[in-house]
Amino acid sequence: MLLVRRALAAFVVLLALGGPVVLAEPAAGQTAHSAHPDHSEPTVVYLVRHAERAEDGTNDPPISDAGEARAHLLAEILRDTGIERVHSTDYKRTRATAAPLARRLGLPVETYEGSDLAGLAERIRADGGRHLVVGHSNTTPDAVAALGGEPGPPIDEMEYDRLYVVTLTRDGASTVLLRFGALSSPPG
């Protein structure tokens, strides 16, 4: 299993460093956005839903032990990708998912409003560089779309293993959808 995780980490790094790999085109009627014209390097955005949440009866639960393990695995996978900014909604479960990577890289976790994904996408395009965005089942696919990527099907309630890589270049956006950690059961 460790070999598979290292291979996945190497694959993510190669994708990020090698430029865009197109596995999904923007959906029909969706426009591909270009990175800020002053950026000569692609902007690479890694997007995930928060890790498994603990059930504590509140609207803002922490992540579970399985979620902690997934958050640490995410930090291990993304540690060498050159991430410069870490973004999270202002919830315990999203901040806790982002925290291990942010600590490892010595970066703050910057909060964003899940209701303003267009604004987040514009800031990322303007800043360029490499970013991690941690959101929710109902915001992560929309954030991918706001960046000009292909979000795929909705995220199932018990699905925590998606890792999107959206690469923005002057020519548009490309999306790679990967899976990491314990695989979630397919919907249906």
Side-chain angles (χ1 to χ4, degrees):
M1 185 57 127
L2 183 59
L3 183 59
V4 170
R5 288 182 182 152
R6 286 187 178 157
L8 176 59
F11 180 67
V12 170
V13 171
L14 287 174
L15 288 174
L17 296 177
V21 175
V22 179
L23 295 184
E25 293 292 333
Q30 185 180 34
T31 60
H33 297 282
S34 296
H36 190 276
D38 293 340
H39 300 298
S40 59
E41 293 294 318
T43 298
V44 182
V45 186
Y46 302 88
L47 302 98
V48 296
R49 175 194 186 185
H50 61 78
E52 290 88 340
R53 66 180 174 265
E55 296 302 329
D56 70 353
T58 70
N59 290 333
D60 190 13
I63 57 177
S64 65
D65 290 344
E68 284 285 339
R70 187 179 301 277
H72 286 280
L73 176 59
L74 181 65
E76 180 66 24
I77 290 170
L78 298 180
R79 72 180 179 169
D80 296 323
T81 58
I83 288 176
E84 302 161 288
R85 308 273 300 273
V86 177
H87 310 272
S88 169
T89 57
D90 197 15
Y91 288 88
K92 290 177 187 174
R93 60 193 176 274
T94 51
R95 290 188 317 265
T97 302
L101 180 65
R103 270 194 309 271
R104 175 175 267 184
L105 299 177
L107 297 172
V109 176
E110 303 173 36
T111 59
Y112 70 93
E113 290 296 325
S115 61
D116 186 21
L117 298 174
L120 174 66
E122 285 303 316
R123 285 189 303 279
I124 288 171
R125 273 191 219 92
D127 292 344
R130 294 166 191 261
H131 302 255
L132 170 64
V133 175
V134 182
H136 305 269
S137 62
N138 63 338
T139 63
T140 301
D142 291 345
V144 170
L147 289 164
E150 174 55 51
I155 295 177
D156 186 59
E157 171 140 0
M158 299 307 291
E159 185 179 354
Y160 298 97
D161 61 351
R162 284 192 198 186
L163 171 58
Y164 292 94
V165 183
V166 178
T167 304
L168 306 173
T169 67
R170 291 180 178 151
D171 297 327
S174 64
T175 306
V176 176
L177 174 58
L178 304 169
R179 303 287 178 164
F180 75 105
L183 296 179
S184 300
S185 301

